[in-house]
Amino acid sequence: MTEIRRWQHRRAPGEPVSAETRDSYYGLPVIHGPHWRWSIVFYFVLGGLAGGSAVLAAAARLVGGHWARPIVRVGRYLAFLAVLPGPLLLIIDLGRPERFHHMLRVVKLRSPMSLGVWGLIGFTATAFLNALQQAAEDGWLGQRNPAAHFLRRLPARILAAASTLPAFFLAGYTGVLLGATAVPLWARNALRLGPLFLCSALSSAAAMLALLVGRGPGNARARHALERVEQVALLGELVLLEAVQRGSGPVVGRPLSNGLEGWAYAGTRLSAGVALGLHIVTKMLPRRLRPPLRLVASLVALGGAFLLRAAMIFGGRRSAEDPAATFAITRRPEDPARQAR
Amino acid sequence: MSRESTLVGRTRARPGAFGFLTDTTLCIGCKACEVACKQWNQLPMDDFGFTGMSYDNTGDLGATTWRHVAFIERVADREGRRPTRLQPFQSNWLMLSDVCKHCVNAGCMEACPTGAIIRTEFDTVVIQQDICNGCGYCVPACPFGVPALSPLDGKAHKCTLCYDRLKDGLEPACSKACPTDAIQFGPVHALMDRAKARVAELRAQGVEAQIYGDEALGGTGGIGGLNAFFILTAPPEVYNLPAAPELPQRRVLPAFLTTALAALALGLATLVTFWRSKEVRHD
Ligand code: SF4
Ligand code: SF4
């Protein structure tokens, strides 16, 4: 019940008071950090997975031939199933969960959280339609059922195309949401977080679909295509992870380079690198060694997507507690102490 | 004249706006404002603790603390020099009664996804308690660390600039209680004129005074000024105030643009990959 006050997590207890008051108010945080914890981490991961799956399913439906049908099938189901827990995870995070519907009072274009609520609804609707049509095509709704008949006759390409915009939105808006705060780590990386989360969404979705489409020789081409997409996304992710660390600088980037969050961030980079490396190396190995290595690569990529969200959310909370980080991004340009950032 | 100096004393506050001028050179650190605020707004007691720093056992603004008096003992400045002389009128203590700034463009209000945070007819920023659902987005969206979620009711709280008292034609409880008139309530533009005159007077007496909350200092980066502003005699960082904060929502459009670009690139890469995919003979 007790509230953690800012002075209760002052940094550097051994510092003399004169040092504390020289560049900050006794080392107290300047801003209030967010309360977001694990449910938000899981929501970010699942949202990415859902959005990425929908994108892959749509692309497979639009340009893939018969070989791509497994991607369409599994991708459409996964997109819907992965987004289902999303609203629940968000609602349990609220201070007043029974008031969740107050989010539906307004649409605010400058509030990424408001846009996100509407984007989540739009995505869930398109993902539901796509999954329903897939279920009808797969015969889950019965052959003679008129509803199933109607669903099968809906234009699948248009459904696929309609799901791409909300899918990309769902996978990327979370980065914008973090960037539009006063939290130094997020504010500094506002332009990079959206693209980073998108890359991670696509790589994790491709990895998951590659795991799910099945090992059979009939699916080899689909699996192969998915692995290629995964590699492209992993490459983008690696570049952006480096850019985020460099762009943050030594002070703002502190949570990325030490502590638990630092380990998580290092783990993210490692897993992206390892997954990419494994995919490349596998091609040169004897054939019977390939399936298990690919499996490992996909699992590692999925783990990386999780670590990334955890590192970013908990790293942001830590960066909000660091007055030096806030002052590093809010000092006036002519302030000599600004050089120290 | 540099761009900086044309911004000094300028605020984008709307003509009918009301706010506070908190003149730290008059503050004696009596905490009457803190007490008056707690009393009027019926805010519960904080979790008492001994901070072990100066005379400030309040620590910060929070869900149940809407005025906070900061005490800074000037032991040494940034270069490590210890003060050997007293500034005119002042001990080597700085006192500042911190409060929600009621920003001209408020980060908390723009962030709020429920529309719980509104701008009143007095141009102040108020959280409607019957709307807030405790999503907590306003908390990190405020550049000054003002709102906080209360563990008691799960909702976000902050200074209302005594909206209920203003409605009845009364001045806010804190400024009413302040024995030295360090906290002054009134129309923002009139207060700003008064602040400029006061800063000129202080400077003439050799005090390095400055306004915090105009477009040059504190109300920067799209915030457009603070309706609750301050007169400071040390760099803002000493009082735990950011010198040049930015309205966080200024980054929304650019961030969405880079995200859209990335989406375009990744989407194209996916399409091309699937398009050019070839039959694989061996897995
Ligand atoms: S100081 Fe913070 S809480 Fe107060 S109006 Fe400005 S952004 Fe909102
Ligand atoms: S916590 Fe309440 S006031 Fe703050 S952004 Fe969420 S709904 Fe709005």
Side-chain angles (χ1 to χ4, degrees), chain B residues 159-212:
Chain B
C159 160
T160 65
L161 217 136
C162 282
Y163 189 33
D164 48 352
R165 289 177 62 94
L166 296 198
K167 279 274 193 193
D168 285 344
L170 300 168
E171 70 174 309
C174 56
S175 62
K176 182 83 185 180
C178 178
T180 62
D181 258 353
I183 302 174
Q184 297 164 33
F185 169 77
V188 173
H189 288 282
L191 288 179
M192 190 55 93
D193 289 340
R194 198 184 292 175
K196 281 192 270 195
R198 173 71 178 155
V199 164
E201 183 187 315
L202 286 166
R203 286 194 178 161
Q205 293 167 352
V207 182
E208 292 169 33
Q210 51 187 343
I211 296 176
Y212 180 88

Side-chain angles (χ1 to χ4, degrees), chain A residues 194-212:
Chain A
L196 177 59
F197 284 5
L198 270 186
C199 284
S200 161
L202 202 65
S203 69
S204 60
M208 191 68 159
L209 288 184
L211 286 179
L212 291 177

Side-chain angles (χ1 to χ4, degrees), chain A residues 25 102 105 111 181 221 223, chain B residues 56 111 114 131 251 277 283:
Chain A
Y25 182 64
H102 288 193
R105 294 172 74 237
S111 168
T181 62
R221 187 169 170 190
R223 224 163 38 235
Chain B
D56 179 6
T114 63
I131 306 294
R251 297 187 283 265
S277 137
D283 191 8

Side-chain angles (χ1 to χ4, degrees), chain B residues 97-180:
Chain B
S97 176
D98 199 10
V99 69
C100 166
K101 282 72 185 175
H102 295 275
C103 308
V104 173
N105 297 311
C108 63
M109 188 174 106
E110 296 206 12
C112 178
T114 63
I117 307 188
I118 54 159
R119 192 167 287 287
T120 68
E121 64 271 36
F122 305 105
D123 207 30
T124 54
V125 179
V126 170
I127 305 180
Q128 305 177 90
Q129 290 302 317
D130 51 340
I131 306 294
C132 171
N133 67 7
C135 74
Y137 195 27
C138 54
V139 175
C142 168
F144 306 95
V146 174
L149 288 181
S150 164
L152 296 170
D153 66 0
K155 295 182 288 185
H157 299 270
K158 71 170 192 68
C159 160
T160 65
L161 217 136
C162 282
Y163 189 33
D164 48 352
R165 289 177 62 94
L166 296 198
K167 279 274 193 193
D168 285 344
L170 300 168
E171 70 174 309
C174 56
S175 62
K176 182 83 185 180
C178 178
T180 62

Side-chain angles (χ1 to χ4, degrees), chain A residues 245-328:
Chain A
Q245 179 130 44
R246 282 177 187 236
S248 302
V251 177
V252 175
R254 239 177 242 159
L256 301 183
S257 35
N258 57 39
L260 263 183
E261 299 84 0
W263 281 108
Y265 196 73
T268 310
R269 295 171 94 165
L270 190 71
S271 46
V274 165
L276 186 61
L278 275 179
H279 277 306
I280 294 170
V281 167
T282 318
K283 293 200 185 75
M284 304 162 196
L285 291 178
R287 211 166 299 149
R288 64 193 164 74
L289 285 181
R290 290 181 195 174
L293 280 181
R294 290 208 175 114
L295 182 77
V296 172
S298 295
L299 288 177
V300 167
L302 280 171
F306 179 76
L307 282 180
L308 171 64
R309 303 327 195 280
M312 269 303 157
I313 288 180
F314 289 102
R317 289 176 55 126
R318 220 178 99 196
S319 127
E321 286 166 15
D322 182 358
T326 300
F327 289 145

Side-chain angles (χ1 to χ4, degrees), chain B residues 58-132:
Chain B
T58 309
D60 66 343
L61 293 171
T64 52
T65 306
W66 301 347
R67 272 272 178 196
H68 158 232
V69 183
F71 287 72
I72 302 111
E73 188 171 3
R74 301 312 319 271
V75 179
D77 68 6
R78 210 181 263 161
E79 279 75 46
R81 290 183 304 235
R82 303 179 81 87
T84 50
R85 271 183 325 119
L86 288 182
Q87 288 205 43
F89 307 117
Q90 293 189 288
S91 59
N92 276 314
W93 282 93
L94 301 174
M95 272 88 70
L96 170 130
S97 176
D98 199 10
V99 69
C100 166
K101 282 72 185 175
H102 295 275
C103 308
V104 173
N105 297 311
C108 63
M109 188 174 106
E110 296 206 12
C112 178
T114 63
I117 307 188
I118 54 159
R119 192 167 287 287
T120 68
E121 64 271 36
F122 305 105
D123 207 30
T124 54
V125 179
V126 170
I127 305 180
Q128 305 177 90
Q129 290 302 317
D130 51 340
I131 306 294
C132 171

